[in-house]
């Protein structure tokens, strides 16, 4: 049985935190979105935590608040299933047991990881750091989804250990892209703007396609909003690559490519750090 963590903001009528399995997450940004939704439903900032590592939401609130909070977070479009007290959360939710949902997740994994590899190769041919950084985002999302599928039924401790390894691996990839970007900055080269723009546009299309298999498994009227939240941040990165390609072609200089690369890699490293941080906290609570 896992240890129970406490929050400094928990009310005196709350002896145990309430936990929920969250389905449909693919990155740390999703965790932050859910936390904001809970806070909008009246939860204090320190009384809600969504783990980017194990995809578990923990609430330090009174039980009477739960119905309102559940309604608030349901608007995000993600799936929430309450975990019984004393359970360390290994059992899969009904959604996760659905063969069609698992098939949709595998499609998302292959699209993200597959195109991430393609875009990374394109980045080398085009001499574009922005394409390489965007490729990391694809690979990272795919690996996070893969861990979610692989770890269905695992205990909280093993999910946290796996997430820790993944977070460290993603961080190393991110630092590699940043280091290569610094080298490019010291050895000015102009990337192929046409290749940058073409693969940035394809990335935008792949992001939309990757959302479609999951759409039937969203519930209620939050479907459209869920699709928007799922693809919005990645689409911003893809659009940034396309804009950078246009600026490179217009200005005849490589700095727009480097600026976008640093921005995307920075966000990528932030997500990797969130996974490592949450995995450490989850592991501490589970042992």
């Amino acid at each position: 049985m896992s240890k129970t963590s406490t929050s400094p903001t928990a009310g005196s009528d709350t002896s145990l935190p309430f936990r929920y399995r969250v389905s449909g997450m693919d990155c740390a940004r999703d965790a932050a979105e859910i936390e904001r939704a809970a806070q909008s439903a009246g939860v204090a900032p320190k009384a809600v935590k969504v783990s980017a590592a194990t995809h578990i939401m923990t609430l330090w609130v009174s039980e009477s608040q739960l119905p309102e909070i559940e309604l608030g977070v349901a608007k995000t479009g993600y799936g929430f299933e309450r975990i019984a007290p004393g359970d360390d959360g290994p059992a899969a939710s009904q959604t996760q047991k659905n063969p069609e949902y698992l098939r949709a997740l595998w499609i998302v994994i292959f699209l993200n990881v597959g195109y991430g590899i393609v875009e990374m190769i394109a980045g080398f041919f085009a001499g574009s750091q922005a394409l390489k950084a965007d490729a990391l985002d694809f690979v990272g999302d795919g690996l996070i989804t893969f861990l979610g599928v692989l770890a269905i039924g695992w205990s909280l401790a093993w999910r946290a250990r796996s997430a820790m390894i993944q977070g460290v691996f993603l961080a190393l990839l991110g630092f590699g892209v940043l280091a290569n970007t610094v080298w490019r900055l010291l050895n000015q080269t102009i990337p192929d703007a046409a290749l940058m723009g073409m693969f940035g546009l394809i990335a935008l299309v792949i992001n939309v396609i990757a959302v479609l298999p999951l759409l039937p498994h969203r519930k209620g009227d939050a479907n459209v909003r869920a699709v928007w939240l799922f693809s919005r941040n990645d689409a911003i990165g893809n659009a940034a690559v396309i804009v950078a390609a246009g600026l490179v072609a217009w200005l005849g200089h490589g700095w727009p490519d480097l600026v976008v690369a640093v921005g995307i890699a920075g966000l990528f490293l932030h997500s990797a750090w969130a996974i490592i941080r949450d995995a450490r906290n989850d592991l501490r609570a589970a042992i």
Side-chain angles (χ1 to χ4, degrees):
M1 183 181 298
S2 62
K3 293 181 180 179
T4 301
S5 57
T6 58
S7 167
T9 59
S12 58
D13 59 338
T14 305
S15 57
L16 291 172
F18 299 97
R19 297 188 300 157
Y20 293 77
R21 297 182 189 92
V22 185
S23 57
M25 287 177 55
D26 82 326
C27 65
R29 293 186 293 264
D30 297 338
E33 189 74 35
I34 295 169
E35 288 178 358
R36 286 194 293 270
Q39 291 166 23
S40 297
V43 182
K46 291 184 179 181
V48 56
K49 177 60 184 174
V50 180
S51 172
T54 55
H55 299 184
I56 289 178
M57 177 177 71
T58 305
L59 298 167
W60 291 270
V61 297
S62 62
E63 190 165 8
S64 61
Q65 293 179 264
L66 293 182
E68 184 178 354
I69 296 169
E70 289 171 357
L71 286 174
V73 296
K75 294 177 182 178
T76 62
Y78 302 99
F80 298 87
E81 184 176 16
R82 187 169 168 182
I83 300 173
D87 184 357
D88 69 351
S93 67
Q94 291 303 313
T95 300
Q96 291 172 322
K97 293 176 183 177
N98 185 339
E100 292 184 1
Y101 178 68
L102 288 175
R103 193 178 304 115
L105 289 179
W106 279 112
I107 292 173
V108 171
I109 291 168
F110 283 119
L111 283 173
N112 277 283
V113 176
Y115 187 73
I117 294 172
V118 169
E119 193 175 30
M120 181 64 73
I121 295 171
F124 279 103
F125 277 105
S128 169
Q129 294 303 112
L131 278 180
K132 294 175 186 176
D134 196 46
L136 280 186
D137 202 32
F138 271 97
V139 172
D141 287 351
L143 289 179
I144 290 172
T145 305
F146 175 70
L147 176 63
V149 173
L150 190 67
I152 289 176
W154 289 10
S155 69
L156 178 60
W158 278 107
R159 286 163 64 102
R161 290 187 184 102
S162 300
M164 177 74 77
I165 294 172
Q166 178 180 309
V168 171
F169 175 70
L170 295 179
L172 290 175
L173 290 178
F175 280 120
V177 168
L178 278 181
N180 199 249
T181 301
V182 172
W183 184 87
R184 290 281 186 178
L185 184 63
L186 299 175
N187 300 269
Q188 289 287 339
T189 57
I190 301 177
D192 187 322
L195 277 179
M196 278 182 66
M198 181 179 70
F199 281 95
L201 184 60
I202 294 174
L204 195 59
V205 173
I206 292 295
N207 262 321
V208 174
I209 294 175
V211 169
L212 297 180
L214 295 176
L215 181 57
H217 305 284
R218 302 289 189 175
K219 298 179 180 179
D221 296 332
N223 281 357
V224 175
R225 176 172 167 77
V227 170
W228 164 245
L229 292 176
F230 192 87
S231 59
R232 178 190 60 190
N233 294 301
D234 290 336
I236 290 173
N238 306 148
V241 173
I242 297 171
V243 171
L247 290 174
V248 167
W250 180 37
L251 300 174
H253 200 285
W255 67 261
D257 175 63
L258 300 178
V259 169
V260 170
V262 170
I264 296 177
L267 291 174
F268 184 84
L269 286 172
H270 179 268
S271 293
W273 164 244
I275 292 172
I276 294 171
R277 178 199 62 206
D278 290 350
R280 288 178 59 189
N281 292 335
D282 290 335
L283 193 56
R284 193 179 299 117
I287 296 176

